[in-house]
């Protein structure tokens, strides 16, 4: 806590509990936008963040999609990285120690192509020290079901989540895809299967066309839209889900300021993630924490938990 | 160390239509900047356009803590940038990326640049000269007025030769033809290059033919610029194996032969 000489201020309480994960404050950094933390060394004190959610991790290394992988769009960007990552073993040996040493609250984002992949990953990470919880990316194709995304079908969601819960004692946050017709039914399926928390939203499926070249800009053709452009969709989904389920929500999508963060919290999110914002302002997460603190002080709100879901009608 | 600085613009000039020289005060970046590195600039305080724009470092004046970039207006972001005035501030992140390396016993280097790709070679040329390396810069441009960096090279007394597409100055043709013309006589021991990919692909062929090592500086669309998003992947060959490298942190400078050019 910084010492405050001039103005006597009462300490505000920013700490929240995300399905069994105690966070110092509700501000986390989103998977795939913060690498393994060391990339932001000069800009952010990792132990100040609510949590660091690391890049999507798979059982085996993945080399990702061919370039071009990103394209800027109005108020946002499309990405088709293709889950490039060195695999869970390299993560544990080369990246986890750094995060532990920095005192970060570590949440590992996992991804797979079969129910067994997810369960195996959860089992491997269960034994590792310093991991606070798992975030499960279910926006992945299920190779056993012809590539249909896990996250689009309530039955597949249940199967994946149940498999993970059996393999780990760690809190499990299920990350929902917005690319579904009924997000509430997917959310309920995840909770029924034992999800301790939900996180939403992942990127919105989109595409851009190179008019001169008369072809898609991204080599992968489609990509995931992120950034301020998706914020209203994300806030709406958090609100819809918060009304219907009892587990805490980690809200994200286009957060660029403490006011954006507050929108999510008022819509029902217990904590938030900053994703694309890190690319624009590498120190944004820490700034949002400071601004949230000031906001609460100025508004005489002693505990941020008072605001969670306060806008739900 | 990488920093975000609110940089005061001290000079911003349109040299020839659509080509701008922009100098700003960013003492921390200036102190650490090495040739080949780049800065990542926010062109607006609003959220659209959202992402930063990367530009190679064209010159550094350590005494006053200034950094200069040289850019061409090609789209919305660079157009907005070109409307900034002296005494305004810019949000600049840098210095970023792997710089050019300078082999310890380097004696004679040739720098081959095309178009606005010449920008990072100008700062390199200056640093090489300060280290007493014999430098020859080959500049390629569309026409006589559009030879990026020629004036500053003249001022610094750095040897250079030019080629233009229309023959209005120097050799008529490609800068790689210029390289082929002189490479036999000059006995260069290292090649540095930055410019359009077909040019660098040809430089690679020539370097390999003559058995000369060197480095290339690449471009790729970027989001973070600091190695976190994996958006700037380029295919490279290392130890005989193909893989994706990050242009922002593994590059933008790569060894000649590492980069896979697509026809
Ligand atoms: C390491 C590096 C160094 C560079 N150095 C210079 C320099 O010294 N001088 C100079 O004039 N230009 C340089 N460029 C290219 C410059 O970044 C682009 O011209 C600029 O981003 C275009 O932005 P825009 O909004 O005007 O164009 P738009 O085409 O409207 O931009 C749309 C998006 O595409 C990206 N983009 C477009 N062209 C390029 C490109 N060639 N490379 C990377 N991203 C691109 C933009 O950043 C933006 O995200 C460099 C690029 C890289 C990667
Ligand atoms: C470049 C990039 C890579 C991402 N990688 C992952 C990933 O590996 N796993 C995952 O669950 N979400 C991933 N995401 C989604 C983000 O975690 C986040 O859900 C989404 O971007 C919305 O938040 P934002 O608008 O603040 O970026 C990625 C997003 C981006 C932009
Ligand atoms: S631009 Fe983000 S990793 Fe290179």
């Amino acid at each position: 806590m910084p010492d405050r000489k001039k103005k006597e201020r009462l300490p505000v309480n920013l700490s929240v509990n995300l399905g069994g994960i105690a966070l110092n404050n509700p501000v986390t950094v989103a998977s795939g936008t913060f690498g393994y933390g060391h990339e932001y060394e000069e800009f952010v004190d990792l132990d100040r963040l609510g949590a660091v959610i690391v890049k999507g991790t798979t059982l085996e290394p993945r080399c990702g999609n061919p370039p071009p992988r990103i394209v800027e769009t109005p108020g946002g960007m499309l990405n088709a990285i293709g889950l490039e990552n060195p695999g869970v073993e390299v993560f544990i040996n080369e990246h986890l120690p750094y995060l532990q040493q920095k005192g970060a609250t570590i949440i590992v984002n996992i991804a797979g192509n079969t129910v067994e992949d997810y369960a195996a990953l959860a089992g491997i990470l269960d034994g590792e020290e310093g991991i606070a919880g798992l975030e499960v990316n279910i926006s992945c194709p299920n190779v056993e079901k012809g590539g249909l995304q896990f996250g689009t079908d309530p039955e597949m969601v249940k199967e994946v989540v149940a498999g993970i819960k059996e393999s780990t004692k760690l809190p499990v946050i299920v990350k929902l895809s917005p690319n579904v017709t009924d997000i509430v039914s997917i959310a309920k399926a995840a909770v029924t299967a034992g999800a301790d928390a939900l996180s939403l939203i992942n990127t919105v499926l989109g595409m851009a066309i190179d008019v001169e070249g008369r072809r898609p800009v991204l080599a992968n053709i489609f990509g995931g839209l992120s950034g301020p452009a998706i914020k209203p969709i994300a806030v709406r989904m958090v609100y819809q889900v918060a009304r219907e389920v009892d587990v805490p929500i980690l809200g994200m999508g286009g957060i660029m300021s403490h006011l954006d963060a507050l929108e999510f919290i008022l819509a029902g999110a217990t904590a938030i993630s900053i994703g694309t914002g890190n690319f624009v302002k590498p120190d944004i997460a820490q700034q949002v924490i400071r601004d949230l603190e000031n906001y609460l002080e100025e508004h005489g709100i002693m505990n941020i938990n008072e605001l969670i879901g306060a806008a739900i009608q | 160390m990488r920093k975000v600085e609110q940089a005061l613009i001290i000079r911003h000039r349109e040299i020839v239509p659509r080509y701008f020289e922009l100098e700003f005060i960013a003492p921390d970046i200036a102190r650490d900047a090495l040739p080949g590195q780049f800065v990542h600039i926010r062109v607006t305080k609003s959220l659209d356009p959202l992402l930063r724009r990367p530009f190679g470092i064209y010159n550094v004046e350590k005494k006053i803590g200034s950094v200069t970039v040289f850019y061409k207006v090609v789209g919305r972001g660079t157009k907005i940038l070109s409307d900034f005035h002296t005494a305004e501030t810019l949000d600049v992140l840098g210095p970023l990326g792997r710089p050019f390396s300078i082999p310890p016993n380097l004696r004679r280097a040739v720098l081959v640049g095309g178009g606005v790709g010449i920008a990072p070679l100008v700062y390199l040329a200056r640093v090489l000269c300060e280290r007493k390396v014999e430098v020859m810069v080959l500049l390629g441009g569309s026409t006589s007025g559009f030879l990026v960096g020629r004036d500053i090279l003249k001022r610094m007394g750095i040897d250079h030769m030019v080629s233009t597409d229309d023959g209005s100055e120097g050799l008529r043709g490609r800068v790689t033809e210029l390289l082929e013309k002189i490479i036999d006589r000059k006995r260069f021991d290292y090649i540095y290059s930055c410019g359009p990919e077909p040019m660098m692909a040809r430089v690679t062929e020539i370097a390999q033919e003559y058995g000369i090592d060197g480095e290339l500086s690449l471009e790729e669309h970027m989001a973070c610029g600091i190695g976190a998003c994996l958006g700037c992947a380029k295919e490279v060959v290392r130890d005989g194996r193909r893989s994706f490298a990050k242009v922002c942190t593994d590059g933008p400078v790569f060894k000649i032969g590492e980069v896979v050019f697509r026809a």
Side-chain angles (χ1 to χ4, degrees), chain A residues 32-33 35 39-40 42-43 63-67 69-70 72 74-77 81 84 228 256 276 279-282, chain B residues 1-4 42 47-53 93 220-224 226-231 233-235 244:
Chain A
T33 67
E39 293 86 346
Y40 288 85
E42 292 102 318
F43 307 107
C63 64
N65 289 326
R69 290 179 173 184
I70 56 170
E72 190 185 52
M77 62 179 280
I81 307 300
E84 175 179 344
M256 298 296 293
T276 303
F279 304 156
V280 182
K281 306 186 228 179
Chain B
M1 198 168 106
R2 303 167 305 171
K3 277 268 181 156
V4 176
R42 264 189 98 184
L47 301 178
D48 190 52
L50 184 65
L51 301 175
R52 290 172 183 271
R53 299 293 190 263
L93 164 63
E220 188 49 76
H221 289 212
M222 292 182 176
C224 69
I226 58 174
C229 72
L230 310 180
K234 265 276 203 282
E235 200 173 1
F244 290 124

Side-chain angles (χ1 to χ4, degrees), chain B residues 251-263:
Chain B
V253 173
F254 292 91
K255 295 244 174 298
I256 283 181
E258 271 183 353
V259 183
V260 180
F261 290 104
R262 301 244 170 246

Side-chain angles (χ1 to χ4, degrees), chain B residues 35-71:
Chain B
Q37 290 189 300
F38 66 96
V39 288
H40 214 18
I41 300 181
R42 264 189 98 184
V43 299
T44 171
K45 292 195 166 49
S46 85
L47 301 178
D48 190 52
L50 184 65
L51 301 175
R52 290 172 183 271
R53 299 293 190 263
F55 299 99
I57 294 171
Y58 177 65
N59 194 24
V60 172
E61 295 298 343
K62 304 241 180 206
K63 275 201 200 113
I64 59 165
S66 80
V67 174
T68 306
V69 297
F70 193 103
Y71 68 92

Side-chain angles (χ1 to χ4, degrees), chain A residues 29-33 54-57 70 77-81 83-84 109-111 135-139 175-176 199-204 224-231 252-256 273-279, chain B residues 223 228-231:
Chain A
V29 285
S31 176
T33 67
V54 299
K55 175 73 194 161
T57 301
I70 56 170
M77 62 179 280
L78 290 164
N79 89 80
I81 307 300
L83 275 180
E84 175 179 344
N109 182 287
I110 59 172
E135 183 184 56
V136 185
N137 178 1
I138 53 171
S139 307
K175 183 166 181 177
L176 307 183
S199 89
L200 56 151
I201 59 176
N202 211 320
T203 54
V204 178
L225 182 62
S226 65
I230 68 168
K231 196 186 75 177
M252 73 196 79
I255 295 176
M256 298 296 293
S273 275
I274 297 174
T276 303
N278 296 303
F279 304 156
Chain B
C229 72
L230 310 180

